Amino acid sequence: MPSPRRVLVPSLALSLAALSGCYDAHDLPLALPPLEDGSVGELGLPDAAVDSGLDAGQPACQQDFVVRTLSLPDDVSGVGFDLDGGGAEVGCGMDGPGGVDNAFGRLAGLVQLVGVDIDQLLTAAITLRLVRLRVRLDRCGDTPTLVMVDDDGAAIGSPRAAVVETGTDGSITFEGSVELVPIVLMVPFGPGIQIDISLDNVQLAGTFADTNSSRLVLGGELPRERIVALAEAFAGPAGMNPETIEALLVTLLDLHVDENTGSCTAMSGAFLATGRVLRP
């Protein structure tokens, strides 16, 4: 598949500002600045605004990770998840170094050309609780599991098996997957656009250390139907028809080859999260 077209339409780039990102669990930066107690990132929101919803009766064998920041590195970092497996020789679209699938990163590079700070958009969404992400690691049974949960602790999808290791310092390293990570953002463009960049079949990997230095990598797929919905949402404010926007987005598809057409049918994306581990 040819490289994504380097077409820069300022209004389109602005309207696509909330799509992007990638990181790899095995390349997590070790020098991330710690989050201070009583704040979310640098915005000073109290922990209570993030940690509300913790089930007081939650057993000690369950740990919930509440996301406090999301970051979206560019695709040239070569970090992320090889979602289609087998490195660059398997799958479709344009893989990054080591076969990493990171279409969000290439899209992020496009919108950065017009000075849009995607990390700020995501930080605002997390801080204002417009996006609430919470991952539960459950080690109560014979097999550890991971699942996304809502503010009330209800599972979003079915729990899936995870691989967990405990370090000598008490930190917990894990890998696994979840069905869905819900991310719906409001882009400050014109009257505002609600866009759904929720990821399906999401791989997770990370480390739970103390409550202020835990981090998590998420990488999954944006299906074609969600991409079509994005094109429709952006069409009016961008002053373009949905087909034109969809045609640009389609050049970034890099997952799931259609056997009949040979074309990709989904877009890869990932996020690096830092946050707080809730303990009963």
Side-chain angles (χ1 to χ4, degrees):
M1 183 175 180
S3 299
R5 292 177 294 172
R6 298 299 179 185
V7 178
L8 179 61
V9 180
S11 60
L12 176 60
L14 283 168
S15 64
L16 294 177
L19 297 172
S20 51
C22 271
Y23 256 105
D24 181 72
H26 304 291
D27 292 297
L28 291 177
L30 300 179
L32 284 177
L35 298 175
E36 299 296 332
D37 274 340
S39 69
V40 178
E42 300 174 351
L43 300 178
L45 196 66
D47 281 340
V50 180
D51 298 346
S52 62
L54 175 62
D55 182 359
Q58 190 173 330
C61 51
Q62 288 183 350
Q63 291 173 298
D64 285 5
F65 176 91
V66 176
V67 172
R68 303 171 76 175
T69 65
L70 287 176
S71 62
L72 304 173
D74 59 44
D75 61 322
V76 299
S77 60
V79 290
F81 291 94
D82 183 4
L83 297 173
D84 48 20
E89 302 303 317
V90 176
C92 59
M94 187 177 182
D95 287 357
V100 166
D101 297 297
N102 182 5
F104 272 18
R106 294 191 294 279
L107 189 54
L110 175 65
V111 300
Q112 285 169 0
L113 293 176
V114 291
V116 175
D117 190 327
I118 301 172
D119 285 336
Q120 278 193 352
L121 286 176
L122 284 168
T123 296
I126 293 292
T127 302
L128 298 175
R129 308 205 75 203
L130 302 175
V131 172
R132 307 179 186 188
L133 300 179
R134 182 169 159 185
V135 183
R136 174 165 294 168
L137 174 62
D138 190 321
R139 296 184 291 164
C140 298
D142 294 335
T143 302
T145 61
L146 288 168
V147 68
M148 298 296 295
V149 296
D150 63 20
D151 280 354
D152 296 321
I156 302 173
S158 301
R160 295 183 176 182
V163 177
V164 180
E165 295 182 359
T166 302
T168 56
D169 60 354
S171 64
I172 300 171
T173 301
F174 62 92
E175 295 185 13
S177 66
V178 296
E179 290 184 22
L180 173 72
V181 173
I183 302 175
V184 180
L185 299 177
M186 287 296 298
V187 179
F189 181 79
I193 307 169
Q194 187 178 60
I195 63 170
D196 186 353
I197 54 171
S198 302
L199 296 178
D200 295 344
N201 299 316
V202 182
Q203 293 188 21
L204 303 177
T207 300
F208 289 171
D210 61 50
T211 57
N212 291 320
S213 63
S214 297
R215 57 206 65 194
L216 177 70
V217 178
L218 310 90
E221 60 193 56
L222 191 71
R224 181 64 180 265
E225 59 267 23
R226 216 164 281 154
I227 293 168
V228 172
L230 287 176
E232 293 174 350
F234 292 135
M240 304 172 68
N241 62 59
E243 291 76 17
T244 300
I245 298 177
E246 184 181 348
L248 179 58
L249 294 177
V250 164
T251 67
L252 300 178
L253 301 188
D254 61 342
L255 297 175
H256 300 308
V257 180
D258 185 305
E259 294 182 357
N260 297 319
T261 66
S263 300
C264 307
T265 60
M267 182 186 299
S268 62
F271 300 93
L272 172 66
T274 62
R276 179 181 178 86
V277 178
L278 307 184
R279 304 179 189 276

